[in-house]
Amino acid sequence: MIGNDRDEIAFAGASQTDAAGRDIDVVYLDSDPTARRQVHAALSDHSADMSVTSVATTDAALEAAASTEVSCLVLDPSGLDDIPAPLVSNDRYPVVLYTEATGSDRADTVFDDAETVVKKQDAGEQVTFLAEKIVSLVSASVDRSETALRDALSGIESRADVDEIAVLLADDGTVQWSSEAVSAFVDGIDDTSSVEGFYEVMAAALPDTPGGRRQLQRLRESPTEPVSVRVPSGERDQYLLRHGYRLPDAAGGLTLVLLRDVTETARRDARAALLDLLVEQAQDGLYTLDERGVIDFCNESFAATLGYEPAELCGEHASTVLAAGELSKGQATVERLLETPARESTTVDLTFCRQDGTERTLSINYTLIRDQDGNYSGLLGVARDITERCEREREYQEMTERLNFAIEGAELGVWDWNPKTGDVTFDERWTGMLGYTTDELDHHYQTWADLVHPDDIDHAERALEELKSGETELYECEFRMRTKDGDWRWIRDIGKVFERNDDGEAVRAVGIHQDITEKRKRQNAIERQRDELVTLNGVNMLIQDLIHAVSGAATREEIAQTVCDRIVESGLCSLAWIGERAGASDNLVPKTVSGRDDGVLDDLIADTEAGQGPSERALVTGRVQTIEDCDDADEFDRGGAIASEHGFASVAAIPLAQEDVVHGVLCIYADRPAAFSGRIIESFAVLGEMVGYALTAVQNRQLLSHDTALELTFESGSPDSPLVSVANALGCRMEEVGTVDIGTNHLLYLSVRGASADAVSDRLRSHPEFLGSRVVRADDDGGVVELQVAETIQSLLLDVGAQCREMVVEDGTISITAEAPIDADSRAIREALETCAPEFTLTAKQEREKDRGAVAAETEPRDHLTDRQEEVLRTALLTGYYAWPRDTNAEQLAESLGIASPTLHQHLRRAQRNLIDAVFDSQ
């Protein structure tokens, strides 16, 4: 057998004698040819054992060092460029600098790598010193190598396991040293066999089979690769594992072989082979970490998931493949496991970085690994790639959030219905839009049906039946639902069947509720506006037609009938009538009716004590009155309630007024709600004014054209009247002698008797009703006073179709005599008078014949005057301009009229010429 006594081993490349007996190969590098020849000769002559190779360049030195067993390198860096590091920085040979240069002269590290520096001189003694220094360095280097080798062998031997031997082999397989006899370590060697070489021992133990020969060949050709060997034996095979390590050249070029008996391990590995195969082939990634977090195992699946080979990950710390911030998350998971002894495993999702830089999310199930003493020694991780699942979950979450946001932003309620059982799930928004909480409603189909408006439930359920039967894929319906407060809200309901059973019956439908009440209101408003515009256009055309029609009417009855007929014929309403005040009351008496009148009119104007209707309010207020929806009319609104009973939906009452005088009321009834909008009412208000003017004009024409007239006398003793107050204070009599219209205001002329005209003028000027006052003429017993007023008795009476014949203030009473048509409304005349003086009462009323000659004489010449000319002449007459001597001169007259004197004279001359022409032309 081969022994293992290190003292008897002869190491290859090392001598047992001192350095003087060894061959020393020196490479001398110097760019100076003279110095190179001299030093080469001196070193060669110094010792027969010293062989010198002289070169001039670093490339030549590298080539020489590679082709020979160099013992020492001597060089002079002067004159050389950069010296390659492999030439001077290695453990094969020492480096000696033989030079005159210093370290400060060079920028490279050659002085740091050199063992020593010898001063370069020409004297022969200095070369001898250099030769001795070379011998000394070479000897020390060999001794260090041998000592290091022996120390290494001693360490290997002391650490050798009972199932392991260490062997030093030469290149030919000769055993230079071994910690134990190789033959004794290998079970397959026969006791009678005598083998010396390592490969001979292995050849003797291996079977002479193709497999055995392949194993022996791998041992020889790959001395440093791990090789497993199965050695057949009697009872059981022996399994050996060979590891080889090439030692440095300084150690003699030997190979260290570690041969381990792994029979038990191989058996365990054989038992675990199937498990290992499953682990390697498992779709889930498997890996283990030691207590430091270093990956000491991973299967193909784990490595492939991250884009690596298993060998690339083993030995790497877990942080290498974890995304930023994930290491602390994993460590915290391990710490929680350690702090909970009863819990051996847990699962955590971690983000890993692939080799290409992309990220994957893995679900890791951690299981703690403990040693025989129960101490933590690492963990096993089972990894499953959940990136796609997380992405789907993230997309689902984002979609859910967007859907919830959309549902919440749109205020949509969600329902989930099983048509088979009738069970329904209502969410908070569904119940909330009706004012309920989810706990207040029974989650059943009947709950929904009970809340739907009775008028809408049939078509809503028909739509649901079509959805259940599959006739339609999408259910969509709009209906009203009752809220908790009893109100009605418009709901838009959309749903779809998502699941049917094997028989094709719907078992799950999902949908949404949307409150569209405000939208419905806007749509209705738009529709009403559209209808209103159409109606308004028709109304405007109707009003234009009516204005032309009534302008030519000769009587009040003709005007009223024309208005009612045209309105009904336009299709705007189905009933129209005009009523006038009945006597002194505020009750209306229908005078003209057009359209549907099947007894409804009697109901509309009957039962006056039940409250005012729109027609009465229009008569009293002088403003248009409407009822937009008779079904929703106030219970005290008699007109709306009765109209609804007869099928009318909306009502409008338009006063027929000329300024403050209301002649009557036009009442129209439509079959649809809100038929009379604001702009339509404005148009009807204009119609009412036009008809009022037409009625006034007819009254005025009747007053002028009829042979008989109604003479009415009204009296008032109220001290609140300014004229009565002044007359009482001064004890005088005042009588109107004429009025002149001067544009926006009027001039009123009073004849005064029994008091100073100046005193009367001063007193009247103090009352705010009079805008101005001056004395036109004064005499001993009175005179004429001019008052500027906003309205005169004459102008007020003309508005109601009457004329003022006389106005006298005397003895504390103002008496006004008016002339009006036979059918005139005395109350309207009285109300017109009370706008300037309160508490008038009718004291006399009689019919009388009109003086046709007087009328003709009075009116015919004036037909040839313009309004302005008549105004100037009347003012001149009333102010005493034509009296002699004149009571008013031209300047005063012009001032009263608000014009210049030349303009006054121009109007007077033209008016006088027109009157003279009319008088002479009539003859």
Side-chain angles (χ1 to χ4, degrees):
M1 293 298 199
I2 299 175
N4 61 353
D5 187 356
R6 291 191 303 276
D7 292 337
E8 297 178 357
I9 296 176
F11 294 101
S15 175
Q16 301 295 327
T17 61
D18 58 16
R22 298 174 181 165
D23 292 334
I24 298 176
D25 292 328
V26 178
V27 174
Y28 174 48
L29 172 60
D30 196 332
S31 61
D32 185 357
T34 302
R36 191 168 59 250
R37 288 192 298 271
Q38 292 176 355
V39 173
H40 180 93
L43 291 178
S44 298
D45 294 341
H46 181 271
S47 171
D49 297 328
M50 184 176 295
S51 175
V52 181
T53 301
S54 299
V55 294
T57 64
T58 55
D59 291 340
L62 285 171
E63 184 178 353
S67 61
T68 60
E69 294 291 337
V70 180
S71 303
C72 182
L73 171 64
V74 178
L75 64 89
D76 184 356
S78 300
L80 299 176
D81 294 331
D82 292 340
I83 299 175
L87 182 63
V88 297
S89 179
N90 58 71
D91 57 358
R92 293 174 53 204
Y93 47 79
V95 177
V96 178
L97 297 183
Y98 184 59
T99 180
E100 295 179 352
T102 62
S104 60
D105 297 335
R106 302 213 26 118
D108 49 27
T109 61
V110 65
F111 280 87
D112 297 332
D113 295 330
E115 291 286 340
T116 186
V117 179
V118 178
K119 186 71 172 178
K120 185 176 184 180
Q121 296 180 357
D122 295 336
E125 293 180 359
Q126 192 64 23
V127 177
T128 300
F129 175 74
L130 173 62
E132 292 175 352
K133 178 61 72 173
I134 292 171
V135 173
S136 173
L137 289 174
V138 171
S139 177
S141 175
V142 172
D143 292 341
R144 284 197 302 271
S145 298
E146 292 179 354
T147 301
L149 181 58
R150 290 179 183 276
D151 291 342
L153 293 176
S154 177
I156 293 172
E157 185 176 12
S158 64
R159 291 194 301 272
D161 189 63
V162 65
D163 293 329
E164 183 181 52
I165 67 171
V167 183
L168 282 179
L169 296 181
D171 289 340
D172 59 359
T174 302
V175 177
Q176 300 297 312
W177 170 88
S178 65
S179 59
E180 182 182 341
V182 179
S183 299
F185 188 78
V186 180
D187 293 343
I189 301 299
D190 192 337
D191 291 340
T192 61
S193 299
S194 177
V195 289
E196 295 298 333
F198 176 78
Y199 297 116
E200 285 78 0
V201 172
M202 300 307 299
L206 292 172
D208 188 15
T209 63
R213 288 192 290 271
R214 282 197 299 272
Q215 292 185 47
L216 181 61
Q217 183 178 4
R218 288 187 61 195
L219 290 173
R220 287 181 179 277
E221 295 179 354
S222 305
T224 59
E225 290 183 5
V227 177
S228 59
V229 178
R230 182 174 66 85
V231 178
S233 61
E235 297 181 358
R236 63 177 185 175
D237 294 343
Q238 181 186 25
Y239 291 89
L240 302 176
L241 179 62
R242 192 280 312 270
H243 287 278
Y245 305 94
R246 175 70 68 179
L247 298 182
D249 292 342
L254 302 179
T255 300
L256 172 62
V257 173
L258 298 178
L259 194 64
R260 174 175 291 184
D261 188 342
V262 294
T263 302
E264 293 301 325
T265 301
R267 288 183 176 275
R268 289 195 301 271
D269 291 345
R271 287 193 298 269
L274 180 59
L275 177 61
D276 290 344
L277 179 61
L278 293 175
V279 168
E280 288 298 327
Q281 298 298 323
Q283 292 184 355
D284 287 341
L286 304 176
Y287 68 97
T288 58
L289 303 178
D290 62 17
E291 66 276 9
R292 299 168 300 165
V294 175
I295 302 173
D296 51 16
F297 165 78
C298 70
N299 67 348
E300 289 281 353
S301 178
F302 179 79
T305 298
L306 301 181
Y308 292 93
E309 293 294 333
E312 295 179 291
L313 293 180
C314 291
E316 296 291 340
H317 195 273
S319 61
T320 304
V321 291
L322 284 172
E326 295 294 88
L327 179 62
S328 59
K329 184 177 177 181
Q331 291 172 335
T333 304
V334 176
E335 290 175 0
R336 286 195 295 271
L337 278 176
L338 293 173
E339 293 170 357
T340 313
R343 189 177 183 184
E344 289 292 329
S345 64
T346 189
T347 300
V348 63
D349 295 344
L350 297 176
T351 303
F352 286 74
C353 287
R354 287 174 50 86
Q355 191 175 26
D356 59 8
T358 59
E359 293 184 349
R360 306 292 292 180
T361 301
L362 304 183
S363 177
I364 310 295
N365 181 269
Y366 279 144
T367 301
L368 297 181
I369 300 176
R370 300 183 183 274
D371 59 17
Q372 295 179 351
D373 299 328
N375 297 323
Y376 169 71
S377 61
L379 58 84
L380 167 66
V382 180
R384 176 166 293 180
D385 191 341
I386 59 172
T387 304
E388 282 73 18
R389 188 190 77 189
C390 290
E391 185 64 27
R392 289 194 301 271
E393 290 177 352
R394 183 162 49 249
E395 291 176 355
Y396 176 77
Q397 181 66 23
E398 292 176 355
M399 181 183 67
T400 302
E401 290 177 357
R402 289 195 298 268
L403 179 60
N404 289 336
F405 181 77
I407 290 176
E408 182 176 356
E411 298 181 351
L412 301 178
V414 179
W415 52 265
D416 194 327
W417 173 41
N418 185 337
K420 191 72 174 172
T421 64
D423 294 331
V424 188
T425 300
F426 308 123
D427 72 350
E428 294 179 355
R429 283 184 291 271
W430 193 100
T431 57
M433 69 176 59
L434 299 178
Y436 295 95
T437 65
T438 54
D439 298 333
E440 291 180 299
L441 293 178
D442 183 17
H443 290 245
H444 197 271
Y445 172 84
Q446 194 59 41
T447 301
W448 168 82
D450 292 341
L451 292 173
V452 176
H453 196 285
D455 295 342
D456 301 335
I457 187 65
D458 289 342
H459 81 271
E461 289 189 324
R462 282 197 302 271
L464 284 175
E465 287 298 325
E466 292 174 356
L467 177 71
K468 289 167 54 179
S469 64
E471 185 177 345
T472 59
E473 292 187 0
L474 184 66
Y475 153 76
E476 186 171 359
C477 189
E478 294 183 2
F479 46 78
R480 288 162 289 180
M481 294 190 73
R482 187 179 65 252
T483 68
K484 186 177 181 181
D485 295 334
D487 297 329
W488 294 100
R489 307 292 294 179
W490 276 100
I491 301 297
R492 184 184 185 209
D493 195 10
I494 302 175
K496 185 177 182 180
V497 172
F498 281 87
E499 185 177 351
R500 296 183 181 272
N501 59 19
D502 295 338
D503 297 328
E505 298 173 313
V507 294
R508 187 185 183 193
V510 180
I512 58 173
H513 264 202
Q514 183 181 19
D515 188 337
I516 60 170
T517 305
E518 298 304 321
K519 179 182 177 182
R520 272 273 184 163
K521 290 181 179 179
R522 291 192 297 269
Q523 288 177 342
N524 292 339
I526 292 173
E527 292 175 1
R528 285 196 301 271
Q529 289 176 356
R530 184 179 62 247
D531 294 342
E532 177 186 349
L533 291 175
V534 174
T535 305
L536 182 60
N537 183 57
V539 168
N540 289 335
M541 294 178 65
L542 171 64
I543 291 174
Q544 292 177 13
D545 179 52
L546 281 174
I547 291 174
H548 287 90
V550 301
S551 63
T555 64
R556 294 168 59 91
E557 293 76 11
E558 184 180 351
I559 291 174
Q561 194 64 55
T562 300
V563 170
C564 291
D565 290 345
R566 296 288 180 90
I567 290 178
V568 172
E569 291 170 2
S570 69
L572 181 65
C573 64
S574 55
L575 174 63
W577 60 277
I578 292 178
E580 298 180 3
R581 181 180 282 112
S585 69
D586 288 331
N587 296 331
L588 286 174
V589 176
K591 295 295 185 178
T592 306
V593 181
S594 182
R596 179 165 66 90
D597 182 17
D598 48 0
V600 62
L601 190 57
D602 294 336
D603 293 337
L604 292 174
I605 63 176
D607 194 13
T608 57
E609 296 181 356
Q612 279 191 339
S615 56
E616 288 84 359
R617 290 197 298 272
L619 179 65
V620 173
T621 63
R623 293 190 297 272
V624 177
Q625 303 295 317
T626 61
I627 299 177
E628 292 187 1
D629 191 344
C630 292
D631 289 337
D632 295 334
D634 190 280
E635 60 179 337
F636 299 107
D637 191 335
R638 176 173 56 87
I642 297 175
S644 178
E645 293 176 3
H646 289 274
F648 296 116
S650 54
V651 180
I654 301 100
L656 306 178
Q658 197 271 326
E659 295 186 352
D660 294 330
V661 178
V662 179
H663 295 280
V665 177
L666 168 64
C667 297
I668 55 179
Y669 295 78
D671 299 330
R672 65 183 185 281
F676 310 114
S677 65
R679 285 182 286 186
I680 294 176
I681 291 303
E682 292 175 1
S683 297
F684 273 120
V686 173
L687 174 63
E689 293 178 1
M690 295 298 102
V691 175
Y693 277 112
L695 292 173
T696 300
V698 167
Q699 286 181 336
N700 291 334
R701 286 199 301 269
Q702 289 177 344
L703 179 62
L704 297 175
S705 61
H706 285 190
D707 293 335
T708 59
L710 186 65
E711 187 176 84
L712 304 169
T713 301
F714 297 90
E715 292 183 354
S716 173
S718 173
D720 293 334
S721 170
L723 294 177
V724 173
S725 174
V726 172
N728 289 341
L730 299 177
C732 66
R733 181 183 188 276
M734 290 182 287
E735 180 181 358
E736 178 188 335
V737 295
T739 61
V740 177
D741 185 1
I742 58 173
T744 58
N745 297 319
H746 303 267
L747 296 178
L748 171 62
Y749 295 93
L750 296 177
S751 172
V752 179
R753 289 292 178 265
S756 169
D758 291 328
V760 172
S761 177
D762 291 341
R763 289 267 185 167
L764 291 175
R765 192 182 298 114
S766 64
H767 288 272
E769 289 87 343
F770 302 112
L771 306 178
S773 175
R774 75 182 183 92
V775 176
V776 175
R777 184 181 75 249
D779 51 34
D780 294 339
D781 191 31
V784 176
V785 175
E786 179 188 79
L787 297 177
Q788 186 175 355
V789 295
E791 290 286 354
T792 66
I793 298 297
Q794 182 73 331
S795 64
L796 292 173
L797 291 178
L798 286 174
D799 289 338
V800 293
Q803 290 183 347
C804 180
R805 288 305 181 190
E806 182 180 61
M807 183 188 76
V808 177
V809 182
E810 187 177 18
D811 298 330
T813 301
I814 178 171
S815 176
I816 298 176
T817 300
E819 186 180 80
I822 297 300
D823 59 350
D825 185 357
S826 61
R827 176 174 177 171
I829 297 174
R830 179 177 60 82
E831 289 178 349
L833 293 175
E834 286 183 344
T835 60
C836 64
E839 301 179 5
F840 273 102
T841 58
L842 179 64
T843 60
K845 180 178 180 181
Q846 64 177 349
E847 293 185 14
R848 67 175 181 81
E849 292 292 331
K850 295 175 65 176
D851 185 359
R852 299 302 301 170
V855 171
E858 179 184 355
T859 58
E860 185 177 350
R862 285 186 297 177
D863 292 341
H864 295 76
L865 298 177
T866 66
D867 292 341
R868 187 59 169 164
Q869 290 171 357
E870 182 177 357
E871 174 188 335
V872 172
L873 284 177
R874 177 178 290 277
T875 305
L877 177 64
L878 294 174
T879 57
Y881 179 77
Y882 292 110
W884 185 260
R886 286 178 174 173
D887 296 329
T888 299
N889 58 33
E891 287 75 14
Q892 292 172 326
L893 178 59
E895 183 180 357
S896 297
L897 292 171
I899 58 179
S901 294
T903 304
L904 172 67
H905 289 295
Q906 184 180 23
H907 284 307
L908 288 173
R909 284 194 298 271
R910 289 180 178 176
Q912 292 165 1
R913 184 185 61 193
N914 290 342
L915 284 175
I916 293 172
D917 290 341
V919 170
F920 285 106
D921 288 342
S922 63
Q923 296 178 354

